[in-house]
Amino acid sequence: FHEYSPVLSADGNTLIFTSNRSTDDYKIKSGTNYEDIYISHRTAAGWSAPQKISENINIKFNDAAASLSHDGKTLFLYYEEGAGDIYISNLEGGTWTKPVALNKNINNPIFWETSACISADGKKLYFTSNRPGGQGELDIYVSEKDSKGEWGKAINLGPTVNTPLHEDSPFIHEDGVTLYFSSDGHPTMGSNDIFKTELVDGKWTKPQNLGYPINSIEYDGFLTLSTDKKTGYYSA
């Protein structure tokens, strides 16, 4: 089965990810083993057996993890609502709340919002959308939270980062200036590769392909890094 979109807590001890795993033969044969979100905790013996994160979050059809806030209390999700939108669920008293959609500056009912990543300070949301006005296909956008706590107008990161093809799965490191993402529009080794760009003097540097052994001729994406940048998790 598929396991992808790893989301790591700030302390490195909680891993949230998406999988279409199933033990139901009918669902597997009929292709209705939809994706759910799972959670695992690091123990002295290693990672615990993954459990479905919550009945409040996992729905009948596909849902996917996107990002976790620095305090571990807000989970950003992809839901197949509209054309595909970004939702959030909050951890309250040990229980994840029913997800709610982000505002119209983030979600567009006609177009596709596939993934998102919140900055460590909670003030910027990097997300992907195929809305018009970008460079083409999926592009990476950023929105800043205003004084009222609302997400502001989405700004395209521009042609240095975005291409006429797909840029997806953005991850902004805790340092606030290092952005990782997947792309099949920049020069790759095959399918999607993982790239890195940095914000220098208000501008994004030319994306750097992370190269082998991270990237391969197959799909590589959804990189998430530990605070010290020494451990990374990604999908391949």
Side-chain angles (χ1 to χ4, degrees), residues 46-122:
W47 290 103
S48 66
Q51 304 292 327
K52 289 188 176 183
I53 191 168
S54 169
E55 290 184 354
N56 283 340
I57 289 178
N58 290 324
I59 56 177
K60 179 179 179 181
F61 300 106
N62 291 323
D63 43 76
S67 178
L68 187 65
S69 62
H70 192 259
D71 63 7
K73 293 182 178 180
T74 302
L75 181 63
F76 290 77
L77 312 159
Y78 167 77
Y79 265 28
E80 289 187 327
E81 301 292 335
D85 285 342
I86 304 300
Y87 280 61
I88 61 168
S89 172
N90 295 309
L91 187 62
E92 297 179 357
T95 300
W96 291 101
T97 61
K98 287 278 188 182
V100 296
L102 296 186
N103 68 23
K104 63 182 180 180
N105 287 326
I106 306 299
N107 292 319
N108 186 305
I110 303 174
F111 299 101
W112 195 26
E113 286 73 44
T114 60
S115 56
C117 183
I118 186 76
S119 61
D121 63 10

Side-chain angles (χ1 to χ4, degrees), residues 8 30 55 74 228:
L8 190 68
S30 64
E55 290 184 354
T74 302
D228 62 9

Side-chain angles (χ1 to χ4, degrees), residues 124-135:
K124 291 184 178 181
L125 186 72
Y126 293 84
F127 70 98
T128 49
S129 176
N130 67 347
R131 63 191 61 189
Q135 305 303 314

